[in-house]
Amino acid sequence: MARKRKTKPQPSYKPWLALLLAAVLVVQVGYLSGAIQAPQPAPGAATRPAQSPAVAATPAATAQPMSGVEPKPNPSPPLQKPSGRALEETVLITQPSQDPPPEALEQPVRPSAPISRPTPNPQPQPLTEKKPPQPYSSHTGVVRRIVPVGEEKLVALTFDDGPWPDTPAVLEVLRQYGAKATFFWVGLHLQKRPEIAQQVVAEGHAIGNHTWSHRNTPMTPEEAGEEIERTAALIRHTTGLSTTLFRPPGGRLHNGLADYALQQGYTVVQWSVLSKDTEPLEALSIADNVLQGVQPGSIVLLHDGGGDRSKTVEALHTILPALQAQGYRFVTVPELLESSRVAVPNAPSSRLP
């Protein structure tokens, strides 16, 4: 009896084929109904990135197509490159609240594209006028350093507390170098040495009032007036000159003396360079103090009276030639005031009729 040959059952492709056809049909129906849209980039344009869900959900994307007509997808609006103004505004918004560093100011952001919209013209900023150096201090009528007009290097040497036995030696050094100076006199010393005072005036130096007794403690207006007016009267009697230069003892401005002098039209003369020649210093140290501090328009404080001034006289032999070698010219305080075109009350010194 012959054996029947077993054969393997053949797989049926019909179910899978049916599923494939159904899927193709669904996709085709989706394209026809507009639920699925294929991207159609413009000819010649680069492929654009897919839109975000927020953009895809716009009304233009979900509009229903006309019956029987395959709708064309609405092209997305082209991406706009931000204008230069927008870049600037962004930078301003993201800057920190404090002032930007200097390098940020030196390298401002430049827009890479031309600005497409007009910007308002900024309002012109007022120009700030550069003010010249102010020769007066905050205390009205008080001078410390007087900046001369132009490039000339001027300096005023001033000597306090004379007339004194050392004053003629000071005059000799000034005469040797052709220098002029300003002497502020104490009334009590002027009363004792009128002939020295007359020599100062005869050699062309300027003079100023330094009170009667060199008192620098607080005083009433009546006391301040006596200190100043008594010395002024003696100066007129001894030299025939009247002066409107005044220096308060110790440079004190708030003990009543400076206030009275200013009310009477005096120019209160302080200093910008301190020699410290009233301290126990050697002549070289006194000279160094002056030479290191002098600049055009300086007023230097020295002393010809009130003590032994031999060190000051010795220091002058170093100070004068050194400054002359630097191009300085020695002038009186009135000449220095005139060089800066500063108006001062009356003339600094004038001969009585």
Side-chain angles (χ1 to χ4, degrees):
M1 182 176 179
R3 294 180 61 182
K4 291 184 180 181
R5 188 178 180 178
K6 293 183 180 180
T7 60
K8 293 181 180 181
Q10 297 294 327
S12 177
Y13 295 100
K14 293 181 180 181
W16 296 102
L17 182 60
L19 289 175
L20 180 61
L21 292 175
V24 172
L25 182 61
V26 170
V27 172
Q28 186 66 24
V29 171
Y31 277 114
L32 293 177
S33 62
I36 301 176
Q37 295 182 2
Q40 297 182 5
T47 303
R48 308 180 68 85
Q51 291 180 324
S52 62
V55 177
T58 57
T62 58
Q64 296 296 328
M66 295 179 62
S67 177
V69 179
E70 182 180 354
K72 295 182 178 180
N74 295 329
S76 302
L79 294 178
Q80 297 291 334
K81 190 175 183 180
S83 64
R85 182 63 178 177
L87 288 176
E88 293 177 351
E89 292 174 351
T90 303
V91 171
L92 290 177
I93 292 172
T94 57
Q95 286 292 332
S97 58
Q98 63 268 21
D99 292 338
E103 56 270 16
L105 297 178
E106 295 174 0
Q107 299 178 359
V109 176
R110 300 290 184 183
S112 57
I115 298 176
S116 58
R117 56 187 176 89
T119 56
N121 294 327
Q123 295 295 329
Q125 298 295 329
L127 297 176
T128 55
E129 182 180 357
K130 186 177 181 181
K131 296 182 179 180
Q134 187 58 253
Y136 284 93
S137 72
S138 58
H139 198 291
T140 305
V142 179
V143 294
R144 300 182 185 276
R145 173 176 171 243
I146 306 169
V147 181
V149 175
E151 300 297 329
E152 190 172 10
K153 300 170 72 172
L154 304 179
V155 59
L157 303 180
T158 63
F159 296 88
D160 284 9
D161 302 342
W164 201 256
D166 290 319
T167 303
V170 171
L171 293 176
E172 182 180 354
V173 180
L174 296 175
R175 189 184 318 114
Q176 178 180 348
Y177 291 96
K180 299 299 179 183
T182 305
F183 291 80
F184 289 90
W185 288 336
V186 174
L188 284 174
H189 301 165
L190 174 60
Q191 189 179 42
K192 296 178 181 178
R193 305 172 186 90
E195 69 285 352
I196 296 179
Q198 293 168 356
Q199 181 183 356
V200 171
V201 173
E203 296 193 14
H205 302 286
I207 56 176
N209 191 321
H210 200 38
T211 73
W212 181 262
S213 64
H214 204 267
R215 175 185 168 188
N216 58 16
T217 57
M219 58 191 73
T220 64
E222 291 76 18
E223 293 173 327
E226 182 178 359
E227 285 282 334
I228 294 174
E229 298 299 345
R230 190 175 179 184
T231 304
L234 184 58
I235 290 174
R236 290 193 298 266
H237 175 75
T238 304
T239 66
L241 297 180
S242 177
T243 180
T244 56
L245 300 180
F246 175 75
R247 173 171 285 169
R252 298 181 182 272
L253 296 175
H254 305 289
N255 60 0
L257 286 168
D259 291 334
Y260 180 88
L262 292 171
Q263 292 173 2
Q264 301 303 314
Y266 282 87
T267 299
V268 178
V269 182
Q270 298 285 76
W271 56 86
S272 58
V273 179
L274 182 61
S275 68
K276 298 184 180 180
D277 61 345
T278 57
E279 300 180 11
L281 298 177
E282 294 299 322
L284 184 59
S285 298
I286 297 172
D288 286 342
N289 291 335
V290 175
L291 296 176
Q292 292 178 8
V294 165
Q295 54 185 316
S298 291
I299 299 176
V300 182
L301 175 61
L302 296 154
H303 292 80
D304 67 324
D308 181 8
R309 299 303 173 220
S310 58
K311 298 297 183 181
T312 301
V313 175
E314 184 180 350
L316 288 175
H317 285 284
T318 302
I319 294 171
L320 271 66
L323 290 178
Q324 283 182 339
Q326 297 177 26
Y328 280 95
R329 184 165 67 89
F330 302 99
V331 296
T332 64
V333 170
E335 290 173 328
L336 195 58
L337 287 167
E338 185 179 355
S339 71
S340 66
R341 301 177 186 174
V342 175
V344 294
N346 303 323
S349 61
S350 58
R351 186 170 297 278
L352 296 177

